[in-house]
């Protein structure tokens, strides 16, 4: 992927997490960027944590001259994730000790026959550190896309969907499709100047898509990732458990967040939750990410592991015409299904009052991933506040007004399309098992698309319509 936006977002997330020293993971043509906590590794509780701690302490004392106190566990273990944070050195000193620690542990891992340690990754919503685009205002006279499906809401028979994202905007119930949506409101939608914060409305937009595709659905939105849409892996597993403890295990979890890693391994911080998920009937529908890469994006990539393929569906995004993948969408055999995810229309705010938004990223002259169609990299033309070199040119960031609806792109939004279709299948056929509903839905899918030479399964809601061709030269 083109790294410019990733670096812009790194700065944005670091400002939102001022007490956490963040670092950039390795990047090359085959591996997507990721963020992680500097100077910290994660290990499983118990004997494995002790092995990691002792190995790292011995290595750094012998090779780096660090005193033993530089390697220590950060506080007692207090949650069900089964993970211990081990601090290595002082991250304020400038040198990141994590890569050295990982190399020192390879021999111990070889002896144990399994991975013992991992970075403490930043898990982010899937338009955050891998952004596709930013929302575009849509007149409230324009219908949502997907449009509302036929059917009525019945609390007793409705499927239960839990959305873990940013919270709901305070006036979300002014949007008719969200009249019965419940959950957390987002604590700070706007900044001190009354300007909409970046990614405010992300969870609301997702809930609007779900309600349109599956009207007979109880949607609960939890404000799991309020700080710049990002959370540390060590905290994320605990927040997942908190959500299902508070609301009960739902039929479906819609998750538009994740991270890549350095290799093909999953996230140590999510292992306990994923094992618990596997034993339930809940289906996790997860975004494949927007790096335009085949690098696995977790937890969506658990769909590619035999032990989790029944409990996870990974979702890629189709282009606006629905015929091929969107330029930004991740891909590969671990991505199980593709759905519309470019230029969808849903609720960003309620209808209480218009609210301004200042663009954070600039558009590109050509697709940053090398595609030749009129993609979201180029449309609509605008200058962003975070863009490198903007101040030297004197260009002012573009500001727009949102009055309810927005058009937005990303695997973030293809995900609730699939979650909604599974929920709609459950209520239409009185299916009690969401995984069985998923299987029958995919088995009945008639659409296919070609993605990087492979024919992939495609799900399109009956009420979805291709977006019109746009002129990239037209400004916001």
């Amino acid at each position: 992927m083109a790294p410019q936006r990733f670096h812009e977002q790194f700065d944005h997330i670091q400002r939102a997490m001022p007490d956490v020293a963040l670092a950039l993971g390795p990047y090359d043509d085959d591996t997507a960027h990721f963020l992680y906590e500097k100077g910290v590794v994660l290990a499983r509780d118990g004997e494995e944590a002790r092995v990691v701690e002792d190995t790292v302490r011995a290595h750094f004392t012998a090779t780096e001259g660090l005193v033993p106190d530089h390697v220590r566990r950060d506080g007692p273990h207090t949650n069900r994730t089964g993970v211990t944070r081990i601090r290595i050195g002082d991250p304020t000193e400038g040198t990141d000790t994590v890569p050295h620690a990982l190399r020192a542990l390879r021999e111990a891992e070889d002896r144990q026959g399994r991975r013992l340690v991992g970075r403490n990754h930043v898990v982010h919503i899937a338009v955050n550190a891998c952004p596709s685009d930013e929302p575009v205002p849509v007149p409230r006279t324009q219908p949502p896309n997907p449009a509302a499906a036929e059917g009525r809401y019945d609390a007793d028979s409705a499927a239960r969907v839990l959305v873990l994202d940013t919270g709901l905007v305070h006036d979300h119930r002014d949007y008719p499709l969200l009249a019965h949506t419940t959950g957390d409101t987002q604590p700070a939608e706007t900044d001190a100047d009354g300007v909409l914060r970046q990614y405010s409305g992300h969870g609301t937009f997702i809930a609007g898509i779900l309600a349109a595709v599956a009207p007979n659905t109880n949607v609960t939105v939890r404000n799991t990732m309020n700080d710049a849409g990002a959370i540390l892996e060590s905290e994320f597993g605990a927040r997942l458990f908190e959500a299902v403890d508070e609301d009960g295990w739902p039929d479906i979890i819609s998750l538009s967040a994740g991270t890549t890693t350095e290799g093909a391994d999953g996230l140590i911080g999510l292992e306990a939750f994923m094992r618990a998920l596997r034993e339930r009937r809940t289906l996790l529908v997860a975004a494949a990410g927007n790096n335009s890469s085949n690098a696995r994006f977790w937890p969506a990539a658990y769909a590619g592991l035999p032990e989790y393929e029944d409990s996870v569906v990974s979702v890629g995004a189709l282009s606006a015409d629905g015929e091929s993948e969107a330029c930004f969408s991740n891909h590969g055999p671990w991505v199980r299904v593709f759905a519309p995810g470019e230029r969808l229309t849903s609720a960003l705010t309620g209808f209480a009052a218009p609210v301004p938004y200042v663009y954070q990223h600039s558009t590109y002259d050509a697709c940053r991933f090398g595609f030749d169609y009129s993609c979201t990299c180029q449309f609509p033309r605008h200058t962003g506040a975070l863009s490198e070199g903007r101040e030297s040119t004197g260009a002012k960031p573009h500001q727009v007004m949102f009055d309810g609806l927005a058009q937005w792109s990303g695997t973030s939004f293809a995900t609730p399309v699939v979650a909604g279709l599974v929920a709609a299948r459950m209520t239409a056929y009185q299916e009690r098992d969401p995984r069985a509903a998923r299987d029958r839905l995919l088995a009945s899918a008639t659409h296919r698309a070609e993605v990087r030479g492979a024919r992939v399964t495609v799900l399109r809601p009956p009420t979805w319509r291709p977006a019109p061709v746009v002129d990239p030269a037209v400004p916001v």
Side-chain angles (χ1 to χ4, degrees):
M1 64 174 280
Q4 175 187 334
R5 287 195 182 184
F6 187 89
H7 286 282
E8 293 170 4
Q9 280 305 92
F10 174 84
D11 295 337
H12 178 70
I13 292 171
Q14 182 65 88
R15 287 195 297 271
M17 304 171 75
D19 298 328
V20 180
L22 298 180
L24 291 168
Y27 174 79
D28 56 37
D29 291 339
D30 300 316
T31 304
H33 273 308
F34 57 85
L35 305 179
Y36 65 95
E37 185 179 11
K38 194 176 179 182
V40 169
V41 294
L42 301 183
R44 300 174 191 88
D45 285 342
E47 178 63 19
E48 289 191 8
R50 186 193 63 77
V51 170
V52 169
E53 191 174 14
D54 291 347
T55 302
V56 173
R57 179 180 288 116
H59 170 77
F60 277 92
T61 301
T63 64
E64 305 292 336
L66 296 180
V67 297
D69 286 347
H70 276 144
V71 180
R72 65 186 187 278
R73 303 189 194 194
D74 266 3
H77 172 65
T78 58
N79 61 58
R80 290 152 50 193
T81 62
V83 170
T84 295
R85 295 174 77 252
I86 300 177
R87 184 167 294 280
I88 305 164
D90 184 354
T92 64
E93 293 178 354
T95 301
D96 181 21
T97 51
V98 170
H100 302 289
L102 295 177
R103 286 194 292 270
L105 281 157
R106 294 304 175 225
E107 183 177 339
E109 289 180 327
D110 290 342
R111 288 196 303 269
Q112 295 275 339
R114 66 181 297 188
R115 184 175 60 135
L116 297 176
V117 68
R119 302 172 194 261
N120 193 13
H121 298 90
V122 175
V123 178
H124 48 80
I125 58 177
V127 291
N128 199 314
C130 53
S132 53
D133 73 345
E134 294 175 79
V136 177
V138 171
R140 61 172 73 174
T141 55
Q142 182 171 321
N145 187 25
E150 293 184 4
R152 64 183 184 87
Y153 171 70
D154 173 56
D156 294 330
S157 63
R160 295 176 58 231
V161 180
L162 175 62
V163 177
L164 304 175
D165 208 87
T166 63
L168 294 159
V169 295
H170 74 282
D171 56 352
H172 68 276
R173 285 189 173 149
D174 292 337
Y175 182 60
L177 287 178
L178 297 181
H180 57 268
T181 299
T182 60
D184 304 325
T185 54
Q186 191 163 337
E189 299 170 21
T190 58
D191 63 19
D193 298 320
V195 176
L196 197 67
R197 293 178 182 271
Q198 193 173 18
Y199 304 117
S200 286
H202 191 266
T204 304
F205 195 96
I206 286 170
I209 293 173
L210 272 164
V213 175
N216 193 23
T217 305
N218 284 318
V219 179
T220 301
V221 180
R222 290 297 168 208
N223 187 39
T224 307
M225 287 164 286
N226 182 54
D227 293 333
I231 187 171
L232 288 173
E233 177 185 338
S234 56
E235 300 172 10
F236 187 51
R239 295 292 295 273
L240 292 175
F241 274 120
E242 288 172 8
V244 295
D245 286 347
E246 182 172 1
D247 300 301
W249 286 86
D251 297 311
I252 300 165
I253 296 174
S254 181
L255 178 62
S256 295
T259 179
T260 53
T261 61
E262 191 169 5
D265 295 316
L267 304 176
I268 286 179
L270 264 62
E271 283 183 353
F273 181 82
M274 295 304 298
R275 288 195 301 269
L277 172 73
R278 189 174 56 193
E279 301 307 314
R280 302 280 178 162
R281 66 180 184 87
T282 298
L283 177 68
L284 173 62
V285 184
N290 304 328
N291 302 106
S292 191
S293 167
N294 63 2
R296 291 174 176 86
F297 189 78
W298 305 92
Y302 281 104
L305 301 182
E307 62 266 42
Y308 295 110
E309 62 182 1
D310 187 49
S311 50
V312 183
V313 178
S314 47
V315 184
L318 294 173
S319 57
D321 63 6
E323 298 301 321
S324 63
E325 84 270 31
C327 69
F328 52 79
S329 181
N330 284 352
H331 51 87
W334 56 275
V335 183
R336 293 294 183 234
V337 65
F338 282 73
E342 189 171 49
R343 298 191 183 120
L344 301 187
T345 302
S346 183
L348 189 76
T349 68
F351 295 110
V355 59
Y357 176 75
V358 176
Y359 280 99
Q360 301 299 296
H361 304 291
S362 295
T363 45
Y364 292 72
D365 293 332
C367 175
R368 66 189 186 277
F369 303 117
F371 283 63
D372 59 4
Y373 75 98
S374 182
C375 64
T376 56
C377 298
Q378 309 162 70
F379 168 84
R381 305 293 296 172
H382 55 256
T383 298
L386 297 176
S387 296
E388 299 171 0
R390 179 185 62 80
E391 294 182 357
S392 63
T393 64
K396 293 183 178 180
H398 285 89
Q399 178 175 300
V400 293
M401 298 295 291
F402 283 101
D403 192 19
L405 298 181
Q407 198 173 75
W408 213 344
S409 303
T411 58
S412 274
F413 313 122
T415 298
V417 169
V418 173
L421 287 171
V422 175
R425 170 88 194 196
M426 291 181 67
T427 55
Y429 292 90
Q430 298 183 342
E431 288 271 11
R432 295 180 58 84
D433 184 347
R435 300 180 186 183
R438 177 270 320 271
D439 292 342
R440 293 186 176 98
L441 182 68
L442 294 179
S444 64
T446 58
H447 296 294
R448 298 288 186 274
E450 185 165 319
V451 174
R452 312 294 174 120
R455 297 292 289 174
V456 301
T457 300
V458 165
L459 293 176
R460 298 175 182 152
T463 60
W464 170 82
R465 63 195 184 280
V469 176
V470 297
D471 182 356
V474 176
V476 172

